[in-house]
């Protein structure tokens, strides 16, 4: 039987091979915008459009996301590498939104104006799993950018997607 620490290390090593688009998940309104870089984002169903975001309970935005019950998933483009460091702890609070083209949605959520896509969601359900909370959100509106150049995260570094 594999020890739990070995299994955990092997799992982390395996997940480094799971290439994914980096997103910035945002919530809040006005002076209380909050956001974080995330790779644990996935679609759940297309009817109705639903998305899942996993957030560590120790993340500064976790209680805000719990209270707001709505969020925006901004899928990043290759041009957004600098935002990943900022939203991964490089800056705190509203300082994070000083870089990039952030605008307010109709209901005040922070939206990255030149994201590959921005999906505005209302939280339908949450589920606690170990150290994280899964936020399942029903998509209310979407903005798609004409260019499709997603910023990919694989094996601990940035990558770009290319058609085969």
């Amino acid at each position: 039987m594999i020890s739990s620490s070995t299994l955990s290390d092997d799992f982390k090593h395996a997940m480094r091979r799971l290439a994914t688009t980096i997103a910035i998940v945002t919530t809040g309104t006005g002076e209380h915008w909050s956001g974080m870089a995330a790779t644990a984002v996935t679609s759940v169903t297309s009817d109705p459009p639903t998305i899942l975001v996993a957030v560590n309970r120790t993340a500064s935005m976790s209680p805000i996301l719990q209270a707001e019950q709505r969020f925006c998933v901004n899928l990043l483009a290759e041009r957004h590498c600098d935002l990943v460091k900022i939203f991964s702890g490089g800056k705190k609070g509203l300082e994070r939104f000083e870089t990039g083209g952030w605008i307010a949605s109709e209901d005040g959520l922070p939206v990255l104006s030149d994201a590959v896509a921005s999906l505005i969601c209302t939280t339908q359900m949450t589920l606690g799993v170990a150290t994280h909370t899964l936020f399942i959100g029903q998509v209310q509106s979407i903005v798609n950018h004409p260019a499709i150049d997603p910023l990919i995260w694989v094996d601990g570094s940035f990558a770009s997607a290319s058609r085969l």
Side-chain angles (χ1 to χ4, degrees):
M1 185 161 166
I2 299 174
S3 73
S4 62
S5 65
T6 301
L7 184 60
S8 179
D9 289 344
D10 287 348
F11 178 76
K12 290 175 188 175
H13 195 68
M15 290 300 98
R16 289 176 67 99
R17 287 152 172 73
L18 181 64
T20 185
T21 300
I22 304 171
I24 293 179
V25 180
T26 60
T27 192
T29 54
E31 301 271 323
H32 303 285
W33 280 3
S34 184
M36 64 173 233
T39 56
V41 175
T42 191
S43 64
V44 176
T45 180
S46 63
D47 189 19
T50 306
I51 198 163
L52 178 147
V53 177
V55 178
N56 192 310
R57 287 191 193 100
T58 63
S60 61
M61 81 171 286
S62 182
I64 301 166
L65 192 51
Q66 285 278 8
E68 287 288 332
Q69 294 292 297
R70 60 199 183 90
F71 57 92
C72 181
V73 175
N74 299 279
L75 302 179
L76 299 186
E78 293 174 11
R79 63 189 165 276
H80 298 126
C81 290
D82 58 334
L83 290 177
V84 176
K85 292 177 185 163
I86 290 168
F87 280 83
S88 296
K91 291 187 179 180
K92 302 291 181 197
L94 285 177
E95 286 182 340
R96 291 179 173 180
F97 296 94
E98 292 172 357
T99 304
W102 295 98
I103 59 173
S105 68
E106 288 182 11
D107 58 351
L109 282 172
V111 175
L112 185 58
S113 62
D114 65 342
V116 171
S118 296
L119 299 95
I120 296 174
C121 308
T122 56
T123 303
Q124 297 299 302
M125 177 187 304
T126 60
L127 176 65
V129 179
T131 58
H132 285 63
T133 301
L134 306 182
F135 290 86
I136 300 170
Q138 186 169 341
V139 178
Q140 302 300 313
S141 64
I142 301 170
V143 176
N144 285 313
H145 194 274
I148 302 173
D149 58 339
L151 180 59
I152 306 296
W153 187 253
V154 63
D155 197 25
S157 62
F158 297 125
S160 61
S162 62
R163 298 188 188 272
L164 299 178

